[in-house]
Amino acid sequence: MKKLVLSQMIVRNLLDRIAHIMQRILLHVFLMAFGFVMLMPFLWMVTTSLKPRELVRSAPHLIPTHFHWQNYVIALNAAPFGKYYLNTIIVVLGIVISQLLLSSLAGYAFARLRFPGKNIIFLILLSTMMMPYYITLIPSYLIIRTLGLVNTHLGLILPFLVSAFGIFLFRQYYIGFPKDLEDKALIDGCSRLQIWLYIYLPLSKPCLAALGTFAFLFAWNSFLWPLVITTDPDMWTIQLGLAMFSGKYGTEWTYLMAGTTISVIPAIALFMIFQKYYIKHLALSARLR
Amino acid sequence: MNDETKAAVVCIAPSAIIIGIFTIFPIFCSFYLSLTDWDGLSPTINFVGFSNYSELINSEAFWNSIKVTLCYAMGVSIISVILGLILASLINRTTGPLASLYRVIYFIPVVTSFVAAAVVWRSLFSPAGFLSDSFRSIGFSPPNWLADPIWALPALILVGVWNRLGFNTVISLAALQSIPRAYYERAKIDGAGPLSRFFFVTVPLMKPIILLLFVMSIVDAFLIFDLAYVMTGGGPLGATNVVGLLLYKSAFRYYKMGFASAIGVMVFAILLLLTLLQMRLFKFGKEV
Amino acid sequence: MARVLIKNLVKRFGKIIAVNNLNLEVKDGEFLVILGPSGCGKTTTLRCIAGLETPDEGEIWIGETLVNDLPPKDRDIAMVFQTYALYPHMTVYDNLAFPLKMRKIPKQEIDVKVKKVAQMLGIRELLDRKPMQLSGGQQQRVALGSAIVREPKLFLMDEPLSNIDAKLRVYMRAEIKKLQKDLGVTTIYVTHDQIEAMAIADRIAVMNKGSLQQVSSPDELYDNPATSFVAGFIGSPPMNLIDCSLIEKDGKLFLDAGEFTINISDLRDILETTRMGSEIVLGIRPEDIIILQRGFKGKEDFNANIYTIEPLGLETIVTVKKGNKLLRIRAPRDFRANINEEVGVLLNKQKIYLFDAKTGKRLYI
């Protein structure tokens, strides 16, 4: 009698285990498949960019037989992507470096210094995070125009030199630093600004990576502001250039996809490199809202 | 002024100045301009009171664009939040390093610019594109998606969801991972199966995050511009003429800066209302 | 080398008075410990001396200089923190060199000084490591080194050994004491651990609730506490403090503790100016009480029951209970008794301390 029950238990245990494993496998299969679906546009984009024109609509749609790199050469010649890249890189560098510096500096002040009006100013700052372009676009354009900075790199950079979100991020990050560190630095002979430079900034690497990625993506993917500010095709940034390129070559998918691939790679590459910091900080900042 | 205050000034002044010039000042400037009929070019600015606003309120085009934008925002938000939660739950049930991989994979569309997304998806949606071809291969005859006033907006919503989903998934996942296992273990002991656990443990605990994601998604979706500009240009027949496009065209194509500013102010007010409304619901949800 | 003078120091945080009119002088080259429970104001006092807090009232002198308006870096001081406060992104070498770098001392000279201090503290081999890779004791040494390398007039130490495990702590405090003697730098050391204070200090300043209770050498504090707080704080196990009132019976003076009375006629002189019925606190150290067992009738001050017995190896701590009062007594290591056994308690009248119950002040002749 007992032996029977025992073997029943063993079999049941085994079946449970198998069901468990099957469940796991099914889960992964589904998630993988869904991931594939999500990335499918990119797959199509890259493979189309490598097909010769005639084969674009042939089945199987997704797999080219050999790589037709000429598409890229033609795309690069049809529109000055090199120039677009250069413009965008200048603008992106300006925005990212400035935002990192100013956000870190201001974040330090809000986290550590005592001064009158601190809370009010911070609250005002926070509220500006939520201002949509609807209300800031036209006046910003008018200001840039008045300053004579239309069609200039500076005009593209200026409104975005600082990010309220960045200041918020750094403040939260710095608040967690041990207070003893500053006391020691003050006694060692540092001024408040030197404390920021020699101690806080060097210890900010994760936050710099997160905000840097965020700022880079914002600047790289920016379309509306460059559209408004630049009328000279020589000053176009990559997204603007791509949009205009697609307007002109709408149905030449192979070249179009080549151009798109070129536009998209830096953003994805940067994201892949820094995704650890970026995603972690994203989650944190959403929780804090 | 003591040392700390002096240092604070140095640290904050540059940021404060930029934000003051390009965010705070524009708020007042927009309000002011909305009360004028300025075209952005002439040296004189005429004050016209609220006539821009009355024109807007009576404008069918304006309300159409609000409707379109609202539909888009609702569509993207509801779908991407719910889907994101489901995906996050599934990812949460896996163990091992693959969870990070899924996070990254789903997030890649998020970091893609809307311009690039629009270009690619426009090709996919074209009559000769992948989607239409696939439909034909299984025997259906597909509409001309982006040229069809019924299908154009849903097509935009699809792209919007595709772009947003990864973000909502990642945030939901982070929130899910912070739910103590003890709750699930207790539910298991009490006899709840996986679906029951989802509805009676996960969902109630996730309520604040769900609401937050929803608010964030709606506000973010309301800002749509690049996608509509590149993918459909606002057509066909105004089916995708989101209010961002309306503002842009008014200001920079028709040179009606005053009128465009009024649009901006109206939309800002609508967004504020939407946010406040949802915060009310949020509080209501919290009590429940 | 400098003396430190604190005059009428007051520091408030909102409504709370953290330091209440403190007057203290630290002699040149002295190792002074500020001792007290948490919240007594000792750390606030130290931070005011360092310049990390601004006094609301009072003066602080370091050497011949009034330092009230000087920032910390101009006061020629060095500080060691409870959490070590080592810069995590710098190597040990850079941590030691940093204060010198800030003072624009030439690289050569920095190198010499850093190596010398590292040698002195036995951390020469650790110069390339980062703080994260060091043990607690090593980190503390680096913290000390970072203070020593400055060659300041004054060392300030804020509970530097509190984060170190007990065994290492005993070793480190001897090291610190020796170091201070060798360097001869005036040192102000803050702690809540009275054993630590007794072990290392030249003098101890006992603080409670923002006020200075007494400043004396460890022996003085132990044998001659000026207040009931000091009496109960110094010494382990602590002095027994019993609330009594003064009564007279048959021409003899007694302290009435409720459950028992003690004949203190010998202490008549001390109590000359004290009224009858006054509330007095009786203080007696555990080592000054004798337990009488078996056939002791007549010799004892009162009876009590054994409450607990704690054999500690070297000695035995016995707690006796009378009514709701507990008394701790140091007994010889071979002491044997049963719980609840009735014993006699005899106090050494020569070693009785009397305190005014209201003010806590010691009653003297």
Side-chain angles (χ1 to χ4, degrees), chain B residues 40-273:
Chain B
L41 297 167
S42 47
T44 54
I45 303 181
N46 302 323
F47 196 70
V48 293
F50 288 97
S51 63
N52 284 330
Y53 289 102
S54 59
E55 194 185 327
L56 269 180
I57 294 178
N58 294 321
S59 156
E60 203 189 302
F62 175 69
W63 290 113
N64 176 59
S65 71
I66 293 288
K67 187 184 82 173
V68 168
T69 316
L70 209 62
C71 276
Y72 172 79
M74 285 294 176
V76 170
S77 303
I78 295 175
I79 300 176
S80 67
V81 169
I82 294 178
L83 210 56
L85 183 61
I86 294 175
L87 275 175
S89 307
L90 293 176
I91 297 179
N92 201 27
R93 301 200 73 205
T94 69
T95 47
L98 278 174
S100 304
L101 180 67
Y102 293 132
R103 258 186 359 191
V104 173
I105 291 181
Y106 297 153
F107 210 85
I108 290 184
V110 181
V111 304
T112 314
S113 75
F114 266 120
V115 174
V119 171
V120 175
W121 279 97
R122 198 174 62 186
S123 313
L124 288 173
F125 273 122
S126 99
F130 181 67
L131 268 153
S132 301
D133 280 353
S134 310
F135 264 70
R136 281 185 211 111
S137 69
I138 54 175
F140 288 101
S141 96
N144 186 347
W145 308 99
L146 296 178
D148 189 328
I150 301 178
W151 290 106
L153 190 59
L156 277 193
I157 292 178
L158 177 67
V159 183
V161 171
W162 176 80
N163 174 280
R164 183 80 186 171
L165 188 57
F167 182 86
N168 289 351
T169 307
V170 166
I171 306 274
S172 299
L173 188 60
L176 278 175
Q177 283 170 341
S178 71
I179 296 180
R181 299 205 63 206
Y183 286 116
Y184 290 115
E185 278 157 17
R186 167 93 185 266
K188 254 193 231 168
I189 294 175
D190 286 345
L195 262 157
S196 301
R197 289 203 298 272
F198 182 76
F199 282 111
F200 292 113
V201 179
T202 311
V203 172
L205 284 172
M206 289 286 285
K207 256 217 178 96
I209 289 281
I210 297 176
L211 254 23
L212 177 70
L213 276 177
F214 196 70
V215 173
M216 282 173 67
S217 295
I218 288 208
V219 173
D220 193 67
F222 227 84
L223 303 177
I224 174 180
F225 178 83
D226 311 7
L227 184 61
Y229 185 98
V230 176
M231 199 139 150
T232 61
L237 303 175
T240 61
N241 195 21
V242 295
V243 70
L245 279 176
L246 200 70
L247 186 146
Y248 172 76
K249 286 181 194 164
S250 303
F252 299 103
R253 291 243 186 101
Y254 310 139
Y255 293 102
K256 296 169 76 180
M257 291 275 174
F259 184 68
S261 299
I263 297 178
V265 172
M266 283 285 276
V267 178
F268 178 55
I270 292 176
L271 264 174
L272 219 62
L273 215 75

Side-chain angles (χ1 to χ4, degrees), chain A residues 157-170:
Chain A
I157 296 174
L158 205 55
F160 308 110
L161 280 177
V162 66
S163 148
F165 175 69
I167 297 179
F168 173 73
L169 215 63
F170 271 101

Side-chain angles (χ1 to χ4, degrees), chain A residues 180 183-185 188 198-199, chain C residues 47 83 85 87 89 102-103 146:
Chain A
D180 278 353
D183 290 341
K184 174 126 203 317
D188 280 346
Y198 289 120
I199 297 162
Chain C
R47 289 173 66 86
T83 59
Y87 303 121
H89 57 296
M102 282 294 115
R103 271 161 184 72
S146 163

